[in-house]
Amino acid sequence: MNAAANTKGCSAAPVVLRELMGGPHSFGQLREALPTLSAKVLTERLGGLTDRGLAVREVRPGFPSRTTYRLTAAGLRLRPLLAELYRTGAALSGFNP
């Protein structure tokens, strides 16, 4: 995946999408699953995904409140694209131009 998406200006959104493909996650769960992303970058990517209608932020009432992120139907439709990005990345990982 990194080889396919590791170009100048490419965001970390694909790895966030990959994690959310497995179901709803809290911010803490995402931070744990993506330790190389800073909290700031993760927050920005989640905001971008929600702004574009690919993910939704759900806050459950209670104390403390629980916030989770999950993919929308539009976000879930990206699964084949993400799978192809990962396949391409794996194929290119040994390629040195």
Side-chain angles (χ1 to χ4, degrees):
M1 171 65 188
N2 289 339
N6 196 10
T7 59
K8 188 175 181 177
C10 186
S11 75
V15 293
V16 177
L17 284 167
R18 179 196 67 205
E19 291 304 317
L20 291 176
M21 285 289 170
H25 285 68
S26 69
F27 186 85
Q29 289 170 322
L30 289 168
R31 286 278 294 140
E32 204 171 288
L34 303 167
T36 59
L37 289 185
S38 69
K40 179 183 181 215
V41 169
L42 180 56
T43 298
E44 290 170 356
R45 296 310 171 260
L46 287 168
L49 293 173
T50 57
D51 289 348
R52 289 173 179 81
L54 299 173
V56 65
R57 180 179 184 260
E58 298 174 326
V59 180
R60 294 187 213 141
F63 185 80
S65 64
R66 305 273 182 195
T67 302
T68 57
Y69 295 87
R70 67 169 176 81
L71 292 179
T72 63
L76 289 169
R77 284 195 296 268
L78 294 174
R79 184 182 301 272
L81 175 64
L82 284 174
E84 187 57 37
L85 277 173
Y86 278 90
R87 274 192 293 276
T88 301
L92 294 175
S93 64
F95 179 71
N96 291 318

